[in-house]
Amino acid sequence: MQKQKKHSPNKKPSFAPKAPVKKKALSSSRLQYLFIGIISFLIYSNTLFFKYALDDGLFITDNKLTKKGFSGIKELFTKDAFYGVYGNDVKIMLPGGRYRPISQVMFAVEYQLFGFAPGLGHLLNILLYTLLCLMLLSVLKTVFEKYESKTWYLSLPFVATLLFACHPLHTEVVANIKGRDEILCLLFSLVTLLSSIKYVQGNKIKWLIVSFVTFLFALLSKENAITFVAIIPLTIFFVYREKLKKYIILLTPLLGAVFIYFLMRFNALGFGSVTDESKELMNNPFLSVGLAERIATILFTWGRYLLLLVFPHPLTHDYYPKQIPIVGFGNVQVWITILVYLALSIYSLIRIRKRDVFAYAILIFLITFSISSNLVFNIGTFMNERFMYTPLLGFAIVCAYLIYKYLDNKKWRTTGSVLLIIFVSLYALKTFSRNFAWKDSYTLFTTDVKTSTNSAKVNCGAAEVMIKGIKDNAPDSVKSNVYKQALVYLDRSVSIYPGFSGAWIYRGYAQLQLKEYKNSQLSLIEVLKKENNSNDAKNYLNNAALECYKLGNYKQAEDNFKTLIQYVPDNTEYVYTLAELYANTNKVDSSVIILNQLLEKKPQYDKAYNKLGEIYGRVYNNFSKSFEYLNKAYAINPKNLETLRNLGTAYGIQRNYENSLRYLLEAEKVKPDDKDILNKLAVTYKNMGNLTLANEYILKAGK
């Protein structure tokens, strides 16, 4: 007999139902990535409905190369970033040049496929920023692996990434589509850093290849990436203990990428030095400032940056002259800043040997800030919030380490959690609300002019967007109120910087629209004193002169033409128009003198001969002289309508109807719908006894 198997009392029979399998909860790490991804997207989600703003014009809407789409990509790699806007004048306007083709190629592709689509541009910025924050978390989790907390939301990598993602100083970079160059630069730089770490961990050559490619892309996104040539070996030193040979190997692909980048940059920009300085205050805030004051003012801005890191309010896109005052070493804030930065530098250099987290974070801040600090080279403005985009990482690591070290324990964990929630909530709320200022250029300038009250540029910008925002069908009273408000900003702008041509141009234009002709003339003279080739100033003066002439304000019309002739003496048209003005007023003799002087310089100027012929016939009743001048004008330009009109009229007055008819018919060919010519033809045919044709031309003239 076969023995029966005994069942273990602890083992369930095979036919017993299986216990339900519990689904594995999200790991702490996945929860961190999920949270960072969601918040990075959400805090900038309101920008999806925004338009283009500020520098988007330079890179997208006004850039001819970008608007070539696919066909412009080659030029984007071989020209200055602003070549598509300024052409060959870019070297004068922006010494040193700008070379950031990667983001521009993206803009060109977007334009080729979708045309102007700001919503798409904002979406891509948000997605890239979200990807960047996730990459940052991955890098920090690798660098600070031993600083992970059992409480997932208090670990150093997560807190640092969270603070970085939510900080309001990033608003300009993400909310302004043009800021994509900053996002891509840091994104590719972080991938390069992670690839370098992977190489140290496994000694696989593929990671060196990846680091070369991604670092070249980082540099082509924005030149600030070059600071990672120092950040990467610093990070390796902080995490690992490697020999000198390993650092040399790591740096080789990075330096190779730098070499290729500078070759490409040289091919596109030439040998222009980034240390070249503009002679225009709006591009060089330290113009005519002594060395001591320059350094003191730079240090003053360094202190402002530290304050904005901790307390980012109020925010503005504009720190142009003279929003930041020029200060000397007698300023107390300058000395406080010196002491703070000196202490940070000494501490970091001493403690980095101990692999101190604070020292590492401080060095990240100092190294990445160096390139936009104004100390290495002039960046064209006193300061800018977007220049804290990468350096802010050092600040975030310091804050995260403080929370991890002192609040991640049983006693203080609740306090730490509450503080983190408060800071992150305030930062996120500030970021989300600040985004709305970037809705469009009108909103941005009219918002920030209330903060940057001492900036000549933003005051002018606010006036400009207000003027350009006036609708053609708006009531005159509405237009008038807008021009008056714009003049308030423009008056402030030129009082801050009297040499600001752009502000004077808009001031002259606004005054012209308000019929303040004399004030408009005085404003536009300020432009011509500095730029006698300003087409806007010349056109506004000319338009005002013609308008005054029609209104019978001959004195102002005369003053405007004299101003044009004074600053643009080689322009024949201005001289001729003044002569024409005199010819039609009580200064006919002056008109004749001017016209003869004009013919001495330009003997083939047919309009002058024509006007002299008209004057001698109409005013002096000297038809022999009149025909002499008119025939000269006709010989030079037989298609000039006014010459043909005057010849037809003069011969008609002399009752020489055959010659009158000849020239009037030629005039009709030049301009068939000219009613004056048609009426003269009708009269001529009538005088010649041809009533049929006379009636035909009467009908034509009446249509």
Side-chain angles (χ1 to χ4, degrees):
M1 243 178 112
Q2 192 175 8
K3 290 185 178 180
Q4 190 176 5
K5 281 187 178 182
K6 293 183 179 180
H7 293 283
S8 169
N10 296 325
K11 187 176 181 180
K12 293 182 180 180
S14 59
F15 54 82
K18 293 182 179 180
V21 179
K22 292 183 179 180
K23 290 184 178 179
K24 189 177 181 180
L26 278 174
S27 67
S28 296
S29 182
R30 289 182 178 179
L31 202 56
Q32 290 173 348
Y33 281 107
L34 180 63
F35 192 89
I36 292 297
I38 292 174
I39 197 168
S40 300
F41 188 93
L42 287 181
I43 59 175
Y44 287 102
S45 58
N46 54 338
T47 67
L48 289 170
F49 309 100
F50 294 175
K51 299 178 182 178
Y52 294 114
L54 197 64
D55 290 341
D56 289 341
L58 293 174
F59 281 84
I60 307 171
T61 57
D62 300 329
N63 196 299
K64 295 178 182 177
L65 298 187
T66 302
K67 291 190 289 186
K68 284 186 177 181
F70 294 152
S71 62
I73 291 177
K74 180 181 178 180
E75 286 181 281
L76 290 172
F77 275 104
T78 57
K79 299 287 186 181
D80 188 289
F82 298 148
Y83 180 85
V85 177
Y86 299 121
N88 292 323
D89 292 336
V90 69
K91 291 184 178 180
I92 301 173
M93 301 188 69
L94 295 167
R98 305 291 186 272
Y99 187 61
R100 299 156 191 177
I102 296 297
S103 59
Q104 282 189 281
V105 168
M106 292 187 69
F107 299 145
V109 172
E110 290 166 40
Y111 181 79
Q112 177 74 46
L113 298 177
F114 305 101
F116 289 133
L120 174 64
H122 286 296
L123 175 62
L124 290 175
N125 268 28
I126 299 172
L127 292 175
L128 286 168
Y129 182 69
T130 302
L131 179 61
L132 164 65
C133 291
L134 294 173
M135 178 57 64
L136 176 60
L137 178 59
S138 178
V139 170
L140 293 182
K141 287 173 79 68
T142 304
V143 173
F144 296 104
E145 186 177 2
K146 63 181 181 180
Y147 295 97
E148 292 281 2
S149 170
K150 291 182 179 178
T151 307
W152 67 272
Y153 53 84
L154 290 180
S155 67
L156 190 156
F158 175 75
V159 173
T161 306
L162 185 61
L163 291 173
F164 180 90
C166 296
H167 204 287
L169 285 185
H170 288 339
T171 307
E172 178 174 352
V173 170
V174 187
N176 190 199
I177 298 174
K178 174 268 170 193
R180 192 177 302 172
D181 54 0
E182 296 274 8
I183 300 174
L184 292 171
C185 175
L186 183 53
L187 176 59
F188 286 125
S189 296
L190 289 175
V191 175
T192 305
L193 174 56
L194 189 59
S195 300
S196 299
I197 293 174
K198 293 287 187 183
Y199 171 74
V200 172
Q201 291 174 339
N203 289 317
K204 293 184 178 180
I205 300 298
K206 69 176 183 179
W207 294 115
L208 293 178
I209 298 173
V210 172
S211 67
F212 167 79
V213 174
T214 55
F215 195 55
L216 180 59
F217 271 69
L219 290 165
L220 291 173
S221 297
K222 195 172 183 181
E223 58 274 8
N224 295 37
I226 201 168
T227 57
F228 272 73
V229 172
I231 295 297
I232 290 173
L234 172 67
T235 303
I236 300 303
F237 174 81
F238 176 73
V239 180
Y240 305 101
R241 296 182 182 275
E242 297 293 336
K243 294 181 179 180
L244 180 61
K245 180 181 178 182
K246 185 63 64 100
Y247 290 101
I248 294 174
I249 295 173
L250 279 173
L251 285 172
T252 298
L254 303 184
L255 295 176
V258 170
F259 179 73
I260 297 297
Y261 165 75
F262 276 111
L263 282 180
M264 295 177 68
R265 182 186 175 96
F266 174 77
N267 179 60
L269 310 184
F271 198 63
S273 172
V274 293
T275 59
D276 292 341
E277 292 194 346
S278 172
K279 303 302 180 183
E280 164 57 46
L281 185 66
M282 288 296 103
N283 295 323
N284 180 11
F286 302 106
L287 195 67
S288 303
V289 175
L291 181 61
E293 286 185 322
R294 176 173 182 158
I295 295 174
T297 304
I298 290 171
L299 292 170
F300 179 82
T301 63
W302 290 9
R304 293 286 293 270
Y305 278 126
L306 292 179
L307 290 174
L308 286 173
L309 285 173
V310 179
F311 188 71
H313 180 83
L315 297 180
T316 177
H317 78 281
D318 191 290
Y319 290 91
Y320 280 84
K322 302 176 179 177
Q323 178 61 18
I324 298 294
I326 299 295
V327 299
F329 280 98
N331 187 289
V332 176
Q333 293 182 50
V334 172
W335 285 103
I336 293 174
T337 301
I338 291 173
L339 292 175
V340 171
Y341 275 88
L342 189 61
L344 291 174
S345 301
I346 293 173
Y347 178 89
S348 61
L349 292 174
I350 293 175
R351 294 292 300 173
I352 192 62
R353 297 179 182 179
K354 303 290 185 181
R355 273 72 175 180
D356 183 90
V357 174
F358 288 137
Y360 174 66
I362 291 168
L363 286 173
I364 286 179
F365 174 82
L366 294 177
I367 293 170
T368 55
F369 176 50
S370 64
I371 199 167
S372 56
S373 66
N374 260 326
L375 199 61
V376 179
F377 53 82
N378 192 339
I379 57 176
T381 182
F382 286 117
M383 59 183 289
N384 205 303
E385 290 161 11
R386 71 174 181 272
F387 296 155
M388 280 288 103
Y389 184 66
T390 301
L392 194 148
L393 177 57
F395 168 76
I397 293 173
V398 167
C399 294
Y401 185 60
L402 287 172
I403 292 174
Y404 170 83
K405 186 173 182 179
Y406 296 107
L407 300 177
D408 185 24
N409 54 61
K410 188 175 181 181
K411 182 179 179 181
W412 295 102
R413 186 168 291 124
T414 302
T415 303
S417 302
V418 171
L419 286 175
L420 180 61
I421 291 172
I422 291 173
F423 271 98
V424 170
S425 298
L426 289 174
Y427 278 176
L429 182 62
K430 175 66 177 178
T431 298
F432 192 81
S433 61
R434 171 61 185 169
N435 286 343
F436 287 107
W438 289 88
K439 177 183 176 183
D440 51 37
S441 290
Y442 181 92
T443 307
L444 181 66
F445 280 102
T446 55
T447 298
D448 287 359
V449 74
K450 299 171 185 176
T451 300
S452 298
T453 54
N454 292 320
S455 165
K457 190 169 185 177
V458 78
N459 276 285
C460 178
E464 179 184 352
V465 296
M466 291 176 69
I467 290 171
K468 289 183 176 179
I470 296 175
K471 295 182 179 179
D472 293 335
N473 59 353
D476 290 340
S477 59
V478 173
K479 292 180 180 179
S480 178
N481 288 333
V482 174
Y483 286 124
K484 288 177 181 178
Q485 179 58 53
L487 279 175
V488 173
Y489 291 129
L490 291 166
D491 288 345
R492 189 188 300 166
S493 181
V494 296
S495 67
I496 294 169
Y497 174 34
F500 193 5
S501 296
W504 284 114
I505 287 173
Y506 279 108
R507 191 171 187 262
Y509 175 78
Q511 290 165 331
L512 173 58
Q513 300 307 309
L514 291 171
K515 312 300 181 185
E516 298 177 8
Y517 299 111
K518 188 61 181 179
N519 290 335
S520 176
Q521 178 201 4
L522 295 175
S523 293
L524 296 170
I525 284 175
E526 294 299 323
V527 181
L528 294 175
K529 284 179 180 178
K530 191 175 182 181
E531 305 174 25
N532 64 356
N533 62 341
S534 171
N535 289 326
D536 286 333
K538 291 184 289 186
N539 289 337
Y540 295 153
L541 275 168
N542 188 53
N543 292 342
L546 296 174
E547 191 172 315
C548 288
Y549 176 55
K550 289 179 181 178
L551 295 172
N553 188 351
Y554 302 128
K555 179 65 173 66
Q556 187 59 57
E558 179 184 354
D559 286 349
N560 277 28
F561 283 126
K562 284 183 175 179
T563 298
L564 286 166
I565 293 168
Q566 177 185 351
Y567 289 99
V568 197
D570 296 331
N571 190 302
T572 305
E573 285 299 313
Y574 296 144
V575 178
Y576 172 77
T577 311
L578 177 61
E580 190 175 37
L581 172 67
Y582 285 157
N584 295 323
T585 57
N586 59 352
K587 295 183 178 181
V588 180
D589 292 343
S590 297
S591 177
V592 172
I593 293 171
I594 292 174
L595 290 169
N596 281 310
Q597 290 174 343
L598 188 56
L599 286 171
E600 287 178 7
K601 294 180 179 179
K602 293 197 172 185
Q604 295 300 305
Y605 192 58
D606 65 288
K607 290 173 69 175
Y609 285 117
N610 172 63
K611 183 55 65 176
L612 282 168
E614 178 188 323
I615 291 172
Y616 274 96
R618 177 174 59 83
V619 180
Y620 297 144
N621 202 31
N622 185 342
F623 282 94
S624 62
K625 197 73 171 175
S626 174
F627 283 121
E628 178 185 340
Y629 283 119
L630 289 175
N631 286 327
K632 285 183 179 180
Y634 180 78
I636 295 170
N637 183 6
K639 298 296 184 181
N640 186 310
L641 179 66
E642 296 310 313
T643 299
L644 295 170
R645 188 196 309 274
N646 285 332
L647 279 167
T649 303
Y651 278 116
I653 293 172
Q654 295 293 299
R655 300 180 183 276
N656 186 341
Y657 300 124
E658 289 185 2
N659 277 332
S660 176
L661 181 63
R662 169 196 165 189
Y663 290 112
L664 290 174
L665 287 172
E666 287 186 36
E668 183 189 15
K669 291 178 182 178
V670 174
K671 190 176 181 182
D673 58 347
D674 188 303
K675 291 189 177 182
D676 178 63
I677 297 295
L678 296 174
N679 281 321
K680 281 181 167 60
L681 280 166
V683 171
T684 302
Y685 276 120
K686 182 179 180 181
N687 289 330
M688 295 175 72
N690 192 335
L691 297 179
T692 302
L693 286 175
N695 289 329
E696 284 184 17
Y697 275 97
I698 290 173
L699 291 173
K700 284 183 181 181
K703 289 182 180 179

